[in-house]
Amino acid sequence: MFNFLQRPERVIGLLLVLVLHGVVLYGLWRYRADIAPEKVVFLTMVTPNAVHQPPRAEPRQPQPAKALPHTPEPVHLQPEPSASPAVAMPAAPAAPAAPAAPAAPAAPATPVAPAMQEPAQPVTLPGELSVNCPERTPPSYPALSQRLGEQGRVVLRVELDEDGRVSGAAVKTHSGFIRLDEAALSAVKTWHCKPARRNGLTVPAVALQPFSFTLEDR
């Protein structure tokens, strides 16, 4: 025994061997403990007649409405009565009334213009105008119309004013030649006739006046 203790290297070697054996044994024990037990599988047989039904959906519970924040009602503050009594102010003196303006003079009445008398309707004279015209000049036969052999009969419609003067003339029936018509118009406009009368008053008049242009009379 004494000899064994005197050799420390042997003691150390023996301790190392023991430690290694302990480590190996501990590892084997952990390995066996870590092995999981056999798993058992259970199989369920489904018959063909079985109908797969989907899971029923649970009805949704209505969520409670969120309460709106309460708005405080406005508080109306009434002014406190003043402790000091109100002092009545003296009324201002009334302003003197302005003197009344003198009344404007009334505008003179506008004279009413007398109603204008309507012009008298012309009187149609019977027969030819030449009967009532003492001052008349016959028309002249145009020289060019004579050379060209132009002849015909023209009838004029002549208008007279209240004094018997010719106020207008127009061709009622053409002669067929413009030179003959113009010659008749130029002549009749120089005539002066007796004024027509109605109820003792002179009035305008209308009459017809024919003129014949023939080469045999020249």
Side-chain angles (χ1 to χ4, degrees), residues 33 53 77 105 109 124 132 143:
Q53 297 181 357
L77 299 179
T124 302
N132 298 325

Side-chain angles (χ1 to χ4, degrees), residues 41 54 66 72-73 78 85 103 106 124 155 193-194 208:
V41 179
K66 295 182 180 181
E73 297 182 356
Q78 297 182 355
T124 302
V155 179
C193 307
K194 296 178 181 179
L208 298 179

Side-chain angles (χ1 to χ4, degrees), residues 79-102:
E80 297 181 358
S82 177
S84 58
V87 178
M89 299 297 294

Side-chain angles (χ1 to χ4, degrees), residues 126-142:
E128 297 182 1
L129 178 64
S130 59
V131 177
N132 298 325
C133 300
E135 300 177 7
R136 61 182 184 275
T137 302
S140 59
Y141 208 120

Side-chain angles (χ1 to χ4, degrees), residues 19-128:
V19 171
L20 291 175
H21 282 77
V23 171
V24 172
L25 292 174
Y26 179 74
L28 291 175
W29 177 78
R30 288 293 306 273
Y31 176 75
R32 289 177 62 86
D34 291 339
I35 295 175
E38 295 182 358
K39 297 182 179 180
V40 179
V41 179
F42 296 93
L43 298 178
T44 303
M45 300 300 293
V46 179
T47 59
N49 296 330
V51 179
H52 177 71
Q53 297 181 357
R56 296 182 179 178
E58 297 182 0
R60 298 181 59 183
Q61 298 293 334
Q63 297 181 0
K66 295 182 180 181
L68 298 176
H70 177 68
T71 304
E73 297 182 356
V75 180
H76 301 281
L77 299 179
Q78 297 182 355
E80 297 181 358
S82 177
S84 58
V87 178
M89 299 297 294
T110 303
V112 179
M116 298 185 64
Q117 297 179 357
E118 296 182 359
Q121 296 296 327
V123 175
T124 302
L125 299 179
E128 297 182 1

